[in-house]
Every structure is written in structure tokens, then in C-alpha cells.
Amino acid sequence: MLVADALIEAAHTALTDAIIYYQNQPVGTIAARDPAAEALNYDQCFVRDFVPSALFFLMQGQADIVRNFLIVSLELQSRERRLDCFQPGQGLHPASFKVVGEQETEYLVADFGEQAIARVAPVDSCFWWLILLRAYVKATEDWALAHRADFQMGIQLILQLCLEARFDLFPTLLVPDGSCMIDRRMGLSGHPLEIQTLFYAALRTAQELLLPEGTGVTYLQAVTTRLSHLTYHLRQYYWMDLQRLNEIYRYKGEQFGDGAMNRFNVYPDTIPAWLVDWLTDHSGYFVGNLGPGQIDFRFFGLGNLMAVVVSLATAQQSQAITHLIEQQWQDLVGSMPFKICFPALAGQDWRTITGCDPKNIPWSYHNGGNWPVLLWFLTAATLKTGRADLAAKALDIAEKRLSIDQWAEYYDGRHGKLIGKEARKYQTWTIAAFLVSKTLLANPHHLSLISFEQELDTNSCVL
Ligand code: GLC
């Protein structure tokens, strides 16, 4: 292992090398710089991948690149109201973009999923853009940027896209499979936790950044109402602990009308065998998905950690999630923080749910792999719950390997001991997540860039 300072310097250099320029201005970072692998779209700036880079730049006082990123992403946001299914819907932000041409003829090309493998639509991008805008404003006090007419319009278009009544009657968002960090078929279609958590954070961001004037007033009202329903729904129905498991275990089916206990008609036989022993007295987590007749009991890393960071989880639930991480450390952290989802799909489930995806075999990649980018979420969540000791322990594990393994994208195996079968090296968000975690641990006040305080009272709110 490199000595601490040299390690940070190496990470810093690798991050600087990943910066991309547009019209001589830094505007983002490319996903990976692996000289040994075909670039595919890893030479593009992904919105979600840029998040840890941006946070680190903000913590370093290098706000320009983040400001430029926010401006160019906003320009790429789909603006026209279309009736053409082959064009991105109004308000959508791209998954990624790249710079094409040189000097005066330079232009940006965005990918809204029409190029991406399996043509997946990036629902998370618009939320990350909003969350980053808030982080930027918090770091710089540059309210003027967020208050610019084009930014206010950009925020309203995102809200319009999300708040419009659609084909279901839940406060959560109905999205297709592969529309977030897990951008391959993994059985996430419906109402996956990651999207709901980011949606929640985006709504809270909008409350802070939208001006209460003109159409802003109507949007602010809609945001407040939706937030309260969404929060109640997630805290109540997505929550899993032993008490809730006991309720589900004794559920009766086929209940009709207002008095139904088993609102979503979930059958107790769907409770997976691993879960009963995995939960302990004081632990709990948010399940992966909830829909008609369905609970996806898998534990998803990003959604749960982010739920703590942004206070979607109550203070008590946050403690329970932290407790679970501590109790199931080998399963969730193991040799590299942090598990993207637990447990892996295997056998017939793998066949039918992933579509026999060879990249997502059990305990690999999205299907139970360990992703170093999740280190920063883990650091933020454990700092927020007052467990800096867990953050330090995880960082210690990660820093022994990250540089030696050339900043691998992900790790395989039940405990994350193997460098991912097809993992890129010099993966930018791996590098940035390490730098963010290091910086957060040393200066926890930076947590406020991304976290929200507990303040929503949903006791009186019923679905
Ligand atoms: C993979 C990941 C996705 C990430 C992209 C670029 O497709 O699944 O989350 O944004 O690589 O790193």
C-alpha cells in the first residue's frame, strides 16, 4: 500500500486526468480511462458518475467545473414537448454526454439511452443534476445560478415529468428496468428503491431552490404534497425489520377496500429463506421494490445508504440500517465496500430475471458485486448516524486495495474478494469516491453538501 499522502496524490492525479474540456473549460469527468479495454461509452461523462467527482471538487473549492457541468447538462436537457416516442421526453436529462470535434467546431452529443446498451432510459440523471445543483449552491452560496430563469425552468420541467399523473396510483415513480446505476436488466422495473430515494431528495431540493413566484408557486405546492405521501409510503411500506416481517408472515390475501391490512396483496410464501436469519433484533432496511403482489426483499446498497444521508429514513430507521451494516459486515462490506445488492440472483431466478446475462452472473457486477463507488455513500451515511468508526473501518479496507488494483470499477464474489471479471481499471467514480470519503472523514462538515435534516412529519399523512 502506498503511504497515505502518496495514495491521495495518486488518486488526485488520476481524477485530474479524467477531466474533459469543452471550449477550453472543464465540464466533467469521463467514466473510465482503462488503456486495456475498449472504450464503448466509458469515454463519456455520465451524470451519475460525475457526482462524486463534483462533490470532491466542491470540497476542494474547485467549483468552476461543477458550475460548467450544471450549465452544459441543463442545455442538453430535453426541452421540447414531443409526441414522438423516439425522442426523449421533455425534462429528461441524458445518461451521458461527450465532446465531439475540435476547437471552434466542438459540440456536445448526449445519450438519452438511444445509444446505450439495451437502450436504457436514465431516470436518475435529472435527480442527480438537481442534487448536485443544491450541493453547488451550498458550497458556493451562488444562489444567482439556481435562480436564473433557465435553471428555474429546468427544475420545473423535471418536476413536470415526475409529478404528472401516470398509469398507477402510488406516490412512488413507475420506471423501467435499468433506469438507474443498475442499468441492465436486474428485475428493477416497477418502483425501485434507488429511484424513489433520489426522487425524494430531488423533491426536497426543489423545495429549497424553486422561487415562490409565477408557476413556481404551483410546483412548490405539488412538491410539498407529493413529498409527504412519498415519505409516508416509503417509510411505512418499504421498511423491513423483524416486526414487519412478522406481520407479512401472517398476512391474509385477497383483501378488498379501505380496511385491507395487506394492501398490496403480498403472499407470505414469497418471503425468501435467507431473510429470517439475516435480520436481527435492532436492524432493518428498505426493500428493493414494492408493487402489486410483489415485495422485492433484496437489499440495495445505494438506495439504503442514500435514504440515510437525505433523511428519507427516520432517525430510528437510520440507526437500524447502520446496525444491519455492522451486523452483516461480511455480506455488505467484506473485502471491498460496498455490496450493490444482496443476495445475488442465482439459478432459474438469474435466468428469468436477468435474461441469462453473462455479465450479471451471481455475485458479479450488478448482481451482488461490490462497488467501491458506494464507499462515499457508506461514509456519508455512517457519519450521519454518528458511526465514524464504521466509516474509518470501511475506508481502511478499501484503501489497502484501490490503488494496487488500479481503481477497479467493481469486485466479484460473495465477499468482494475478486477484481470484477470485466471491471474497468481507472474507473473515475472509484477514484473520486475514495477522495470524497477521505475528505468527509477528515472534515465531516462537508456532509451538509449532500445531506438533509430530518424535518418532515408524516404522522398525520395517510395514503
Ligand atoms: C455501467 C454502470 C453505470 C455507470 C456506467 C459508467 O454501465 O452500470 O451505473 O454509470 O457503467 O461508469
Side-chain angles (χ1 to χ4, degrees):
M1 193 182 87
L2 296 176
V3 281
D5 285 352
L7 186 61
I8 294 174
E9 211 179 299
H12 212 263
T13 310
L15 180 65
T16 311
D17 289 345
I19 294 177
I20 53 173
Y21 292 83
Y22 175 56
Q23 292 169 353
N24 297 321
Q25 299 294 322
V27 290
T29 47
I30 61 170
R33 291 178 67 251
D34 186 343
E38 198 191 340
L40 298 175
N41 53 355
Y42 282 84
D43 59 353
Q44 306 206 7
C45 176
F46 278 74
V47 174
R48 71 175 74 88
D49 292 45
F50 184 63
V51 173
S53 299
L55 291 176
F56 181 66
F57 290 132
L58 291 175
M59 290 171 187
Q60 297 295 297
Q62 287 172 259
D64 274 6
I65 180 170
V66 183
R67 183 187 164 91
N68 296 338
F69 167 88
L70 290 166
I71 293 171
V72 299
S73 307
L74 181 66
E75 282 165 5
L76 293 171
Q77 182 187 36
S78 178
R79 283 301 168 101
E80 279 157 52
R81 203 177 174 90
R82 304 182 207 255
L83 297 174
D84 170 2
C85 65
F86 294 113
Q87 300 295 325
Q90 193 183 30
L92 204 70
H93 276 251
S96 61
F97 62 83
K98 64 178 173 188
V99 181
V100 179
E102 277 168 30
Q103 300 299 329
E104 297 86 56
T105 60
E106 258 181 5
Y107 61 100
L108 294 174
V109 175
D111 183 7
F112 289 87
E114 68 273 39
Q115 298 292 322
I117 294 168
R119 307 291 183 260
V120 280
V123 177
D124 61 344
S125 290
C126 56
F127 301 143
W128 280 125
W129 178 82
L130 260 175
I131 294 165
L132 268 191
L133 175 60
R134 171 178 179 264
Y136 166 83
V137 172
K138 286 204 131 200
T140 58
E141 294 286 323
D142 182 6
W143 284 92
L145 185 73
H147 288 167
R148 256 167 52 170
D150 54 341
F151 273 71
Q152 290 290 306
M153 170 64 98
I155 298 172
Q156 292 189 16
L157 286 179
I158 294 172
L159 293 175
Q160 195 179 349
L161 189 63
C162 303
L163 298 179
E164 219 153 66
R166 287 172 190 271
F167 292 114
D168 68 349
L169 298 173
F170 294 150
T172 38
L173 275 185
L174 177 65
V175 300
D177 217 345
S179 54
C180 53
M181 175 185 177
I182 297 181
D183 57 358
R184 295 170 87 86
R185 187 172 158 196
M186 265 291 287
L188 264 64
S189 51
H191 307 83
L193 178 68
E194 177 176 334
I195 290 293
Q196 314 313 324
T197 309
L198 296 177
F199 180 34
Y200 166 93
L203 292 179
R204 289 203 61 178
T205 300
Q207 270 188 328
E208 291 181 19
L209 300 184
L210 259 189
L211 287 170
E213 55 192 42
T215 46
V217 178
T218 316
Y219 278 104
L220 276 170
Q221 282 163 354
V223 165
T224 307
T225 309
R226 185 65 170 262
L227 250 180
S228 120
H229 293 311
L230 179 69
T231 311
Y232 180 84
H233 185 91
L234 292 166
R235 288 180 179 174
Q236 198 73 16
Y237 304 122
Y238 277 61
W239 186 247
M240 181 58 56
D241 56 13
L242 277 178
Q243 190 191 332
R244 177 108 173 96
L245 191 60
N246 270 293
E247 278 166 30
I248 298 173
Y249 182 63
R250 291 168 58 83
Y251 263 170
K252 305 277 177 282
E254 313 300 324
Q255 296 177 331
F256 177 80
D258 286 341
M261 281 286 291
N262 181 4
R263 283 166 182 263
F264 306 101
N265 204 34
V266 170
Y267 288 102
D269 273 357
T270 58
I271 297 173
W274 58 269
L275 183 59
V276 184
D277 294 331
W278 208 59
L279 283 170
T280 54
D281 274 350
H282 301 291
S283 64
Y285 69 99
F286 290 101
V287 295
N289 212 322
L290 174 75
Q294 185 220 7
I295 294 181
D296 180 346
F297 290 92
R298 283 175 293 173
F299 172 94
F300 286 86
L302 196 159
N304 271 286
L305 295 172
M306 194 66 178
V308 173
V309 175
V310 299
S311 291
L312 163 60
T314 63
Q316 210 182 351
Q317 288 173 334
S318 296
Q319 289 299 336
I321 293 171
T322 313
H323 197 68
L324 180 81
I325 294 169
E326 194 174 19
Q327 295 271 307
Q328 302 301 354
W329 188 261
Q330 277 313 309
D331 282 345
L332 297 176
V333 177
S335 300
M336 179 55 71
F338 188 79
K339 199 56 101 186
I340 194 166
C341 106
F342 181 91
L345 299 166
Q348 193 54 34
D349 281 347
W350 168 76
R351 253 183 277 282
T352 46
I353 297 175
T354 74
C356 299
D357 187 345
K359 203 165 172 183
N360 271 338
I361 53 172
W363 306 113
S364 184
Y365 200 46
H366 299 136
N367 188 13
N370 290 34
W371 287 66
V373 61
L374 298 178
L375 177 66
W376 85 257
F377 293 91
L378 177 64
T379 309
T382 45
L383 282 178
K384 181 133 187 282
T385 50
R387 294 300 306 269
D389 59 319
L390 293 182
K393 198 170 143 193
L395 184 61
D396 208 42
I397 292 170
E399 74 186 356
K400 288 200 172 73
R401 298 188 62 179
L402 285 177
S403 164
I404 293 171
D405 295 347
Q406 297 174 306
W407 314 102
E409 179 186 11
Y410 66 95
Y411 287 76
D412 284 356
R414 194 184 157 112
H415 302 301
K417 285 191 187 155
L418 303 165
I419 298 175
K421 215 179 195 33
E422 293 185 40
R424 306 270 149 167
K425 302 290 181 67
Y426 294 95
Q427 180 79 22
T428 306
W429 66 1
T430 296
I431 300 163
F434 163 72
L435 289 168
V436 168
S437 301
K438 263 291 211 237
T439 315
L440 270 178
L441 251 181
N443 301 297
H445 72 272
H446 287 308
L447 191 58
S448 66
L449 293 180
I450 194 82
S451 72
F452 289 84
E453 294 306 315
Q454 290 284 349
E455 52 193 39
L456 290 171
D457 172 19
T458 56
N459 287 341
S460 53
C461 165
V462 185
L463 185 68

